Amino acid sequence: MHSLNKPQNLTLALMGKAGDAVLWLLALLHVTALAILLMTLLSLGEAEAAPQETSCGGADILVAMQKNDPQRYHAIEQEAAAIPNGKGTFWRIEKSGAEPSYLLGTMHVTDPRVLEMPNGAKEAFEKAGAVIVESDEIVDEQKVAVSLLSKPELTMFLDGKSITDILSPENAARLEKGLKDRGIPLNAVSRMKPWMLSGFVALPACEFTRKAAGASFLDKKLAEDALKNGKRLIGLETMVEQLTAMSELPMEFHLQSLIETLELGDRMDDVMATMTDLYVSGDIGMTMPMLKSLDTKTAGTSEQGYVAFEQRIITDRNHVMAERAAPELEKGNVFMAVGALHLPGSEGVIELLRAQGFKVTRVE
């Protein structure tokens, strides 16, 4: 875990304001692929100088919490311990009559620690005859462009409005600065919907610097390597399906989250650092309890957003992934890679595959 260099009151301020913003960050990680590809398609990030620093900052929030608020930290641990399959990112999938397949929970970032993958995953990937990812469109920019053109209402305001029409001048200025830090001019993206802008301003600027240097996030790298090595590449969802899931969350939720993200600024790096540390340690079950613990609003004002998010962005998609992956897993010798937060829970991909007759075992 990262060492903590920030004063306690700053960390507590983050906890008090992060509410919808950190939940939104979690949601946008599922469309990070699309945000980065869209940046490439529109030639964004090149018009202005991109940041030169490729290492991401941020301090692990849980380090401070464990020291300054052990009761809250213990509550997160307890909640995480009750989540089925909340520990581990690499799993073996078996069924009688077929070679074993493997399931890797991923994080859609370019952090070198994430790209390293757990022990045994590289060997399983190299041996596999087929590779399953959330969307195979991440390696085909032309296909992405066609998808975006087919459903422009999922990414753009079509009524002549722009994001600056619905933000205060102060927040519009914050948005402009956040985009500029990533080499993106506001006027190039001002008509995009909030869930698209999220991919530009909530992720650390270092992610865009690494992308400009040629780095791929884990899922994209696996997909590219699969094609390079002659493996069958299978996508479980289309980009349109992923965007539709985002668009079906309330607009008020997206707008409020964008505002809170802009207000938090670089402090969102702490949230990303914490999520990355949890991923690397394999403590996936702690992620949602950790994020919820940062929201100090009364239960009634936040519960609806959490329920809608978990149902539409995670649970519904878990069922789609498990059902569409099953026929390929039946054949055996498959390497499947999907976002790690789709794995845990009673309706996570692991339990859903078990319900279809597969034996799924964590690889130590």
Side-chain angles (χ1 to χ4, degrees):
M1 296 257 179
H2 294 282
S3 60
L4 186 75
N5 298 316
K6 300 188 178 186
Q8 179 184 357
N9 62 345
L10 182 57
T11 301
L12 293 177
L14 169 63
M15 293 177 182
K17 295 186 68 176
D20 290 339
V22 293
L23 187 63
W24 196 46
L25 174 61
L26 185 59
L28 72 89
L29 285 176
H30 295 271
V31 291
T32 298
L34 182 57
I36 294 176
L37 286 170
L38 186 62
M39 180 184 72
T40 303
L41 288 169
L42 298 179
S43 298
L44 299 174
E46 299 174 358
E48 302 178 25
Q52 298 302 309
E53 181 58 55
T54 59
S55 61
C56 294
D60 194 314
I61 294 165
L62 291 176
V63 172
M65 189 185 297
Q66 190 172 15
K67 177 182 178 181
N68 301 317
D69 194 348
Q71 186 174 357
R72 179 183 286 187
Y73 182 83
H74 181 60
I76 291 174
E77 284 190 314
Q78 285 188 314
E79 185 176 349
I83 297 174
N85 313 308
K87 182 73 175 177
T89 58
F90 189 43
W91 300 75
R92 182 185 296 106
I93 303 173
E94 298 171 287
K95 204 167 195 180
S96 178
E99 286 189 69
S101 293
Y102 290 87
L103 170 62
L104 175 66
T106 65
M107 189 173 182
H108 310 324
V109 295
T110 61
D111 190 301
R113 296 177 300 158
V114 173
L115 295 176
E116 185 70 20
M117 297 197 296
N119 292 335
K122 181 179 179 181
E123 293 76 11
F125 176 82
E126 291 175 350
K127 181 178 180 295
V131 173
I132 295 175
V133 292
E134 289 185 24
S135 175
D136 60 349
E137 294 176 357
I138 57 178
V139 294
D140 190 337
E141 293 178 2
Q142 185 175 1
K143 186 178 286 188
V144 174
V146 170
S147 294
L148 294 177
L149 289 172
S150 71
K151 294 281 187 179
E153 68 276 8
L154 295 178
T155 59
M156 309 287 288
F157 289 110
L158 302 181
D159 56 1
K161 288 183 179 177
S162 70
I163 194 67
T164 54
D165 294 329
I166 50 180
L167 291 178
S168 69
E170 181 183 16
N171 285 323
R174 285 174 172 153
L175 176 60
E176 184 171 20
K177 181 183 183 303
L179 292 169
K180 185 177 181 180
D181 288 345
R182 290 151 179 81
I184 302 170
L186 174 60
N187 60 8
V189 295
S190 63
R191 295 194 184 279
M192 287 186 182
K193 295 284 182 73
W195 47 92
M196 294 306 300
L197 294 172
S198 69
F200 299 134
V201 298
L203 291 180
C206 61
E207 283 292 322
F208 290 91
T209 304
R210 290 172 181 162
K211 173 62 176 64
S216 291
F217 51 93
L218 180 55
D219 306 64
K220 188 169 188 282
K221 184 177 187 304
L222 290 171
E224 290 169 338
D225 288 349
L227 294 178
K228 189 185 304 181
N229 291 291
K231 302 177 188 293
R232 286 193 305 121
L233 181 64
I234 301 139
L236 299 177
E237 301 175 301
T238 66
M239 293 290 187
V240 166
E241 287 176 320
Q242 292 182 342
L243 275 174
T244 298
M246 289 292 287
S247 70
E248 289 176 354
L249 294 175
M251 177 64 78
E252 294 77 11
F253 170 73
H254 286 295
L255 287 174
Q256 183 60 33
S257 300
L258 177 58
I259 292 169
E260 292 180 358
T261 300
L262 295 171
E263 290 174 345
L264 286 167
D266 291 342
R267 285 173 286 169
M268 284 297 286
D269 290 355
D270 294 344
V271 178
M272 179 62 76
T274 309
M275 292 174 64
T276 304
D277 280 351
L278 289 174
Y279 175 82
V280 172
S281 67
D283 294 310
I284 306 305
M286 288 187 69
T287 304
M288 282 299 290
M290 179 274 294
L291 291 174
K292 290 179 181 179
S293 79
L294 303 184
D295 191 348
T296 57
K297 301 172 187 173
T298 60
T301 60
S302 300
E303 190 64 26
Q304 187 175 0
Y306 284 121
V307 169
F309 164 77
E310 289 187 280
Q311 183 63 47
R312 191 65 190 93
I313 302 299
I314 298 182
T315 305
D316 288 353
R317 295 176 64 220
N318 290 349
H319 284 269
V320 169
M321 290 179 187
E323 289 167 7
R324 293 179 180 176
E328 295 295 334
L329 295 172
E330 294 274 2
K331 302 172 187 176
N333 196 29
V334 170
F335 188 93
M336 178 175 173
V338 299
L341 290 174
H342 291 289
L343 272 53
S346 59
E347 288 188 84
V349 168
I350 292 171
E351 287 300 318
L352 293 174
L353 289 176
R354 285 173 177 160
Q356 296 187 63
F358 295 97
K359 179 182 178 182
V360 187
T361 311
R362 179 159 60 98
V363 179
E364 301 291 344

